[in-house]
Amino acid sequence: MAENDKSIARMEKTIAALKDDFKTLRTGRASAAIFDKVRVDYYGTPTPLNQVSTISVPEARSIVIQPFDKSLIGEIEKAIQKSELGLNPSNDGKVIRIAIPPLTADRRKELVKQAKATAENSRVAIRNIRRDGNDDLKKQQKDGSLTEDGLKTAETELQKSTDKFIQDINKILEEKEKEIMEG
């Protein structure tokens, strides 16, 4: 049964990774999480934006980024423009302001497509974890540390877990799609 616990832990990590990926997918609303993957050149080192500035969301459609070091303002602007988030930062020398434009219908469809692809990759990862778990269980049965009945029971449990995690992925995707389409 320890093998199933390992597989379930790996499946949980897959779900957590999916949620993290979805946080960085832009919707029509302002969110500091969309900058999680943005890296700023901080004295030659790519550094996460949230480690060199404060990111706040004063209104539903605007974001304010306040660098800890004012000399970084240009680097932060460059990093945001290069990030493919489709945002136009403007600065007043102290802070960077970003207006979040409403998403076009085409952009929404594109983001939903991206979300579906990410979800499918997670489903594939879950199935691969199931396969690895089943292989490990079969090895244990060959070694004699697991009976035939034990193998069947463990495989059934692993399949139930797989089904549950696939359902979770579908639910998370559905919520993200709704969020993107409402914007």
Side-chain angles (χ1 to χ4, degrees):
M1 287 299 152
E3 271 320 307
N4 278 356
D5 294 343
K6 279 188 214 164
S7 296
I8 288 170
R10 287 177 59 203
M11 288 179 183
E12 286 169 348
K13 283 184 185 154
T14 302
I15 295 285
L18 174 68
K19 286 179 178 175
D20 283 348
D21 282 350
F22 276 1
K23 275 189 213 163
T24 62
L25 253 189
R26 205 185 110 186
T27 60
R29 287 191 201 96
S31 161
I34 63 173
F35 298 106
D36 284 356
K37 291 184 179 167
V38 174
R39 299 285 179 264
V40 177
D41 184 7
Y42 184 60
Y43 300 106
T45 308
T47 308
L49 178 61
N50 61 6
Q51 290 182 15
V52 295
S53 64
T54 305
I55 304 170
S56 58
V57 183
E59 298 159 26
R61 293 210 181 273
S62 71
I63 295 173
V64 175
I65 299 171
Q66 186 160 15
F68 300 137
D69 177 349
K70 301 279 182 267
S71 67
L72 278 178
I73 219 157
E75 288 298 331
I76 291 173
E77 253 185 316
K78 261 194 272 182
I80 292 168
Q81 286 164 342
K82 278 196 268 175
S83 70
E84 297 176 10
L85 287 170
L87 300 173
N88 281 327
S90 66
N91 83 66
D92 61 8
K94 291 188 185 97
V95 297
I96 296 173
R97 294 182 195 289
I98 301 171
I100 304 293
L103 295 170
T104 63
D106 287 347
R107 183 70 179 134
R108 285 179 200 277
K109 285 179 190 144
E110 192 61 37
L111 288 168
V112 167
K113 212 184 287 179
Q114 213 176 325
K116 284 181 177 176
T118 304
E120 183 54 30
N121 290 342
S122 297
R123 284 192 283 269
V124 168
I126 295 284
R127 290 184 195 114
N128 289 341
I129 294 167
R130 175 192 58 199
R131 186 197 59 224
D132 295 347
N134 281 336
D135 291 349
D136 289 339
L137 290 168
K138 285 177 183 133
K139 274 186 208 146
Q140 285 178 20
Q141 203 240 335
K142 269 195 183 118
D143 299 344
S145 59
L146 194 62
T147 65
E148 186 78 32
D149 287 346
L151 174 68
K152 290 283 175 245
T153 304
E155 284 178 338
T156 303
E157 289 300 313
L158 190 55
Q159 184 59 48
K160 281 182 188 167
S161 297
T162 301
D163 294 343
K164 180 196 158 306
F165 283 107
I166 298 274
Q167 258 183 340
D168 290 351
I169 289 170
N170 293 340
K171 201 167 92 189
I172 293 165
L173 172 63
E174 198 179 299
E175 288 167 13
K176 191 63 180 182
E177 275 186 66
K178 202 186 302 174
E179 192 181 320
I180 291 169
M181 293 318 280
E182 283 170 3

